[in-house]
Amino acid sequence: MKPLIIRDTNEKIYPTKIICLARTYRKHAEEMGSELPTEPILFLKPPSAVIYSSDYIVFPEISKEIHYEGELAVIIGKNGKNIPKDEAFSHILGYSAFLDITARDLQSYAKSKGYPWSISKGFDTFAPISEVTKKEEIEDPHNLNIKLWVNDKIKQNSNTKYMIFTIDQIIEYVSEIMTLERGDIIATGTPEGVGKIKKGDRIILEIDKVGRLENCVT
Ligand code: MG
């Protein structure tokens, strides 16, 4: 398992889990034909899926359709359980750019059967993540441009201000369920514009001041 690397330091931290949110941007819920949730929708990715910028995303043999989803990730710095909203930011170490790679055909099948999403979200290499930028360098995590290109064509262009839950709300909610531990990753969901990628494609994700990812599919 690959550790997260804190930018401008040699410090490495190991996530015990990757918590992902679904449908946190109205327009993405619309493009998926999904209802907007009233509470966060969570799923987990295994930390074994983590890769770095410039590593390859491997197209799984059992899927015919994989998608990119560009997301802001929150990295936990201090363990906590039942963290109240007003203490949430003290538990954050920093932020990263994150790709929630998804085998959309396997996810659609799982949705149709009422099965979990673990297969469609959990393949090795399905969690590219940038180095961690410390929170002190990010003035307002709720106002960051998030842009994604596939082969130099812009596909996603949004801002974290359009998230329907705030980061402190998300931390409060998640930590009621599971202890958040240092190094854990919370992927806050993707804006509209998701789509297919194929072998040979190059994906670039940039989030203002937070980080940049560049990954090719093989
Ligand atoms: Mg996602």
Side-chain angles (χ1 to χ4, degrees), residues 145-195:
N145 291 311
I146 175 165
K147 293 183 184 179
L148 183 144
W149 294 261
V150 177
N151 303 328
D152 299 322
K153 265 193 205 152
I154 192 144
K155 298 288 188 178
Q156 292 189 288
N157 187 1
S158 186
N159 188 290
T160 55
K161 70 184 173 193
Y162 297 117
M163 283 170 54
I164 60 169
F165 305 110
T166 56
I167 290 165
D168 49 342
Q169 281 178 324
I170 292 167
I171 287 175
E172 182 179 70
Y173 183 83
V174 174
S175 71
E176 283 172 11
I177 302 158
M178 54 191 96
T179 300
L180 288 173
E181 298 180 270
R182 181 174 167 80
D184 284 352
I185 300 166
I186 303 176
T188 58
T190 195
E192 70 279 11
V194 301

Side-chain angles (χ1 to χ4, degrees), residues 13 22 31 61 67 69 75 126 140 180 185 187 211 218:
I13 46 174
E31 76 182 347
E61 277 184 18
H67 281 204
E69 297 186 357
I75 312 300
F126 270 26
D140 181 4
L180 288 173
I185 300 166
T218 190

Side-chain angles (χ1 to χ4, degrees), residues 90-102:
S90 73
H91 287 263
I92 296 175
L93 173 70
Y95 302 94
S96 293
F98 182 83
L99 280 168
D100 172 17
I101 303 296
T102 304

Side-chain angles (χ1 to χ4, degrees), residues 19-35:
I19 301 135
C20 300
L21 279 84
R23 300 178 207 164
T24 52
Y25 289 79
R26 180 181 307 276
K27 286 183 182 170
H28 172 62
E30 285 171 8
E31 76 182 347
M32 298 303 289
S34 302
E35 277 177 28

